């Protein structure tokens, strides 16, 4: 008898901690404003409401679960099989000690109002072991860890959501999962420290809907699987990250804009680009790919440029407005529906009058200037004159020296000055800062974004990794680059020379003949001699000062002189 009673008591104790199951096909209502601790269809433990749903059940969550006083708010965990979960208008789930809404894998969550908010100190919406589909209408979803998180599955958004924010990542689909957005969302943001992303997925990110912006401290969009993809056929505002706008692991995947998609990306795109038909802005430079029909309102901001190149076309249909506050360049006949473009006029190439064609002989081939540097004189009439003072003082002056002003103005127009280095012109460049200038020069001359990369142990600077991937910089041979170290003039100019050679420009060789040429290191002599013979550098008139450090304005002047030589 005693043994029988012990067994009965043990079973009763276990039953008290097991969520109650309900019959198939039931509607289970959880009213966050009227929690029944003795309810038959859910259990309540320490602000946690646990519902064990069977196949075919629908869980209806309603009410404002905002905590009173210092108590944590209600959090809801639905267990069991894949389930339909509906949140009524005005539902507020707020939790300070766990995931706000946890659901079984392959569940669908439907919102019934834009006043629905989900907030958690961990994850806003979480599923472990499958996918989750979010449809209907929601307000903001926030998690101090992740906003929406699917482990072992995908996140699909077909509804209309507010902002999605995670203290680490905004949306995550791990374990082979993807993120698919065919609906509409506000800002998707990862706000934490290094490594955070707006969207992070194992396999792919596909956006055919509308997203206001996607941003992370390190990545805007990150795909962690080799050979993954990012495809945009909808409209996405600024995609930005501190290091990468879009990063597909090891650059092995493909970024595609297609199907009249429109995307704005700030930061490096670390992926192969294969754009079919759409509009892509990288920074302030936009390009139309293929034949595009604008599906919604679009604004070209002041300072931005959109180009319709040969082979592409842009149609702005009636009822859709393209506002041009910046610049639109188009081939003749490249735009249909120009009457639907407001703001600045479209710029077309000038028409050529056959009677006014120039019959004169073409320009003479380029002839390198004299290598005599003994009588060099600085003059404001010589554009981009590569004149370097031997020891310019360290200064935070935002105004460049007189000999650099023309080069700085021209480089700024061409977008060749990194935003964070536009000023303090007489300060010395460190190695990572110089890499930022060098990458802009390389991509400007090549006309393409660098997709190669190589890593160092002591920096994650994207520009350094790009140059290393091209083989232009190699670090110290021990896996380190020393990003904060100064660049000497011979080091900086050897790197510029290597960029020109990498891009296929031929500079005739010559020995440097500066008065202090003996101070130039053996490994730099070929580069310095060729640049001097080409007239790209002239030192201070007689001396080169090889071991002096290299300032920001010197870097810009050298780039401008290279561009002038290239023509």
């Amino acid at each position: 008898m005693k043994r029988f009673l012990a067994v009965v008591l043990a079973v009763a104790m276990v039953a008290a901690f097991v969520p109650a199951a309900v019959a198939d096909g039931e509607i289970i209502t959880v009213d966050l404003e009227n929690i029944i601790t003795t309810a038959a269809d859910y259990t309540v433990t320490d602000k946690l409401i646990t519902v064990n749903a069977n196949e075919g059940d629908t869980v209806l969550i309603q009410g404002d679960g905002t905590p009173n006083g210092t108590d944590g708010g209600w959090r809801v965990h639905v267990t069991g099989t894949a389930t339909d979960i509906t949140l009524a208008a005005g539902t507020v789930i707020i939790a300070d000690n766990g995931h706000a809404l946890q659901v079984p894998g392959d569940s669908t969550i439907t919102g019934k109002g834009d006043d629905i908010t989900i907030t958690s100190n961990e994850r806003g919406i979480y599923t472990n072991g499958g996918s989750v589909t979010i449809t209907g209408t929601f307000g903001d979803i926030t998690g101090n860890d992740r906003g929406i998180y699917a482990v072992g599955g995908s996140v699909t958004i077909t509804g209309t959501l507010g902002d999605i924010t995670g203290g680490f990542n905004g949306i995550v689909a791990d374990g082979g999962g993807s993120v698919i957005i065919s609906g509409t969302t506000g800002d998707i943001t990862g706000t934490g420290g290094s490594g955070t992303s707006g969207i992070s997925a194992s396999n792919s990110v596909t956006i055919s809907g509308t997203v206001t912006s996607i941003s992370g401290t390190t990545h805007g969009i990150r795909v962690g699987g080799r050979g993954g993809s990012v495809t945009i056929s909808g409209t996405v505002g600024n995609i930005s990250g501190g290091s990468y706008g879009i990063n597909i692991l090891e650059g092995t995947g493909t970024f595609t804009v297609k199907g009249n998609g429109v995307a704005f990306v700030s930061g490096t795109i670390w992926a192969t680009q294969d754009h079919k038909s759409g509009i892509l802005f990288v920074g302030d430079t936009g390009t139309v790919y293929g034949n595009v029909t604008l599906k919604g309102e679009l604004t070209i901001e002041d300072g931005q440029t959109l180009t319709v190149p040969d082979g592409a076309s842009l149609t702005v249909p009636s009822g859709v407005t393209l506002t041009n506050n910046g610049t639109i360049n188009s081939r003749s006949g490249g735009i249909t529906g120009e009457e639907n473009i407001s703001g600045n006029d479209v710029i077309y190439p000038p028409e050529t009058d056959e009677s006014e064609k120039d019959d004169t002989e073409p320009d003479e081939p380029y002839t390198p200037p004299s290598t005599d540097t003994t009588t060099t004189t600085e003059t404001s009439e010589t554009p981009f004159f590569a004149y370097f003072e031997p020891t310019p003082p360290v200064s935070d002056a935002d105004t460049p020296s007189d000999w650099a002003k023309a080069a700085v103005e021209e480089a700024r127009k061409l977008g060749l000055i990194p935003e964070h280095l536009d000023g303090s012109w007489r300060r010395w460049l460190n190695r990572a800062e110089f890499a930022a200038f060098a990458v802009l020069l390389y991509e400007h001359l090549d006309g393409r974004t660098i997709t190669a990369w190589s890593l160092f142990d002591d920096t994650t600077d994207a520009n350094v990794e790009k140059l290393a991937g091209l083989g232009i910089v190699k670090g110290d041979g021990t896996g380190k680059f020393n990003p904060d170290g100064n660049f000497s003039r011979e080091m900086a100019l050897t790197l510029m020379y290597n960029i020109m050679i990498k891009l296929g420009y031929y500079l005739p060789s010559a020995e440097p003949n500066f008065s202090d040429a003996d101070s130039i290191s053996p490994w730099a002599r070929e580069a310095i001699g060729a640049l001097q013979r080409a007239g790209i550098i002239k030192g201070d008139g007689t001396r080169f000062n090889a071991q002096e450090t290299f300032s920001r304005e010197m870097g810009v002047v050298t780039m401008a002189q290279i561009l002038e030589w290239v023509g």
Side-chain angles (χ1 to χ4, degrees):
M1 183 67 178
K2 289 182 179 178
R3 181 173 180 177
F4 173 77
L5 289 173
V7 170
V8 170
L9 288 171
V11 171
M13 290 175 67
V14 171
F17 291 93
V18 175
V22 294
D24 290 353
E26 287 197 35
I27 297 177
I28 307 167
T29 301
V30 178
D31 187 344
L32 299 176
E33 296 181 17
N34 185 27
I35 298 300
I36 302 172
T37 58
T38 59
D41 44 11
Y42 59 81
T43 60
V44 180
T45 307
D46 188 25
K47 292 296 183 179
L48 170 63
I49 302 167
T50 304
V51 180
N52 186 21
N54 296 312
E55 186 174 357
D57 291 339
T58 297
V59 178
L60 172 62
I61 304 171
Q62 62 188 30
D64 185 346
T66 302
N68 296 316
T70 59
D71 293 336
W74 294 110
R75 51 196 174 104
V76 181
H77 289 193
V78 181
T79 63
T81 58
T83 305
D84 290 332
I85 297 106
T86 299
L87 276 65
T91 299
V92 177
I93 303 177
I94 182 166
D96 65 358
N97 61 345
H99 315 316
L101 178 58
Q102 181 170 336
V103 302
D106 303 323
S107 292
T108 298
I109 305 173
T110 303
K112 295 296 185 178
D114 60 9
D115 53 355
I116 297 170
T117 59
I118 299 174
T119 306
S120 171
N121 70 322
E122 292 189 14
R123 292 150 191 178
I125 295 177
Y126 175 60
T127 183
N128 188 351
S131 300
V132 62
T133 298
I134 303 173
T135 187
T137 305
F138 289 79
D140 297 340
I141 299 172
T142 304
N144 286 355
D145 179 56
R146 284 140 172 115
I148 301 173
Y149 190 14
V151 178
S154 297
V155 175
T156 300
I157 296 173
T158 63
T160 301
L161 280 64
D163 296 338
I164 303 168
T165 306
F168 193 70
N169 298 313
I171 301 176
V172 182
D174 274 348
S178 298
V179 174
I180 305 103
I181 302 175
S182 60
T184 300
T185 77
D187 299 322
I188 301 175
T189 309
T191 62
S194 178
T196 62
S197 308
I199 295 177
S200 178
S202 295
N203 186 38
S204 64
V205 175
T206 303
I207 301 173
S208 58
T210 301
V211 179
T212 302
S213 71
I214 303 170
S215 63
T217 305
T218 302
H219 314 96
I221 297 176
R222 180 182 182 274
V223 176
R226 182 181 294 273
S229 64
V230 174
T231 303
I232 296 174
S233 58
T235 300
V236 184
N238 194 28
I239 303 172
S240 63
S243 296
Y244 302 98
I246 296 174
N247 178 7
I248 302 177
L249 182 65
E250 299 181 353
T252 60
T254 304
F255 169 43
T256 302
V257 176
K258 68 176 187 178
N260 302 308
V262 178
F264 292 77
V265 180
S266 297
T268 300
I269 298 172
W270 195 358
T272 298
Q273 298 185 58
D274 183 22
H275 305 303
K276 307 298 185 184
S277 59
I279 297 173
L280 173 63
F281 273 84
V282 179
D284 290 330
T285 302
T287 303
V288 176
Y289 294 89
N291 301 314
V292 178
T293 299
L294 201 60
K295 298 297 186 182
E297 308 300 308
L298 178 64
T299 298
I300 311 301
E301 301 291 355
D302 183 22
Q304 292 181 333
T305 298
L306 177 64
T307 299
V308 184
D310 291 342
S313 67
L314 175 62
T315 298
V316 186
S318 177
V320 174
T321 300
L322 170 56
T323 302
N324 180 24
N325 296 326
T327 302
I328 298 178
N329 296 312
S330 175
R331 64 176 179 84
S332 180
I335 295 179
T336 301
E338 189 173 348
E339 66 275 10
N340 300 315
I341 300 177
S342 65
N344 299 331
D345 292 337
V346 176
I347 299 174
Y348 293 99
E351 296 183 2
T352 302
D353 186 337
E354 294 292 325
S355 65
E356 295 180 359
K357 282 190 174 180
D358 187 358
D359 295 327
T360 59
E361 292 296 319
D363 292 339
E364 292 295 320
Y366 172 78
T367 302
S370 168
T371 59
D372 180 9
T373 62
T374 59
T375 59
T376 302
T377 303
E378 181 182 4
T379 170
S380 59
E381 297 178 357
T382 303
F384 312 132
F385 181 61
Y387 174 91
F388 299 156
E389 296 177 352
T391 53
V394 174
S395 171
D396 282 329
D398 285 332
T399 302
S401 302
D402 289 343
W403 49 268
K405 285 181 179 178
V408 168
E409 291 172 3
E410 184 67 15
R412 190 178 283 129
K413 291 177 185 177
L414 295 174
L416 293 177
I417 299 176
E419 183 176 348
H420 67 291
L421 299 176
D422 193 348
S424 301
W425 289 107
R426 302 174 197 181
R427 291 196 68 81
W428 309 123
L429 285 168
N430 66 33
R431 295 162 65 86
E433 290 171 343
F434 189 84
F437 279 104
V439 164
L440 288 177
L441 175 64
Y442 186 100
E443 292 181 341
H444 178 83
L445 291 172
D446 192 39
R448 296 176 296 177
T449 300
I450 299 170
T451 57
W453 84 101
S454 186
L455 306 181
F456 291 99
D457 295 335
D458 61 344
T459 182
T460 58
D461 186 284
N463 294 309
V464 173
E465 292 173 355
K466 284 184 175 184
L467 293 181
L470 294 171
I472 292 173
V473 297
K474 295 181 171 60
D476 65 2
T478 67
K480 297 185 183 299
F481 181 74
N482 186 22
D484 297 322
N486 286 331
F487 251 7
S488 66
R489 296 184 185 182
E490 65 179 10
M491 293 169 65
L493 292 166
T494 298
L495 188 149
M496 290 291 198
Y497 173 79
N498 289 340
I499 286 176
M500 298 181 73
I501 297 301
K502 184 75 175 179
L503 290 170
Y505 295 108
Y506 171 70
L507 283 77
S509 61
E511 274 294 305
N513 64 356
F514 296 108
S515 62
D516 61 344
D518 290 343
S519 68
I520 299 173
S521 301
W523 50 264
R525 295 185 69 83
E526 176 184 350
I528 303 307
L531 291 171
Q532 183 187 13
R533 177 175 177 180
I536 292 172
I537 60 172
K538 296 182 175 68
D540 68 1
T542 58
R543 297 171 56 83
F544 177 63
N545 304 299
Q547 307 309 319
E548 292 278 355
T549 46
F550 203 69
S551 68
R552 296 179 183 182
E553 60 187 6
M554 291 178 182
V556 173
V557 167
T558 303
M559 288 197 304
Q561 191 75 356
I562 288 172
L563 292 175
E564 185 183 24
W565 184 89
V566 168

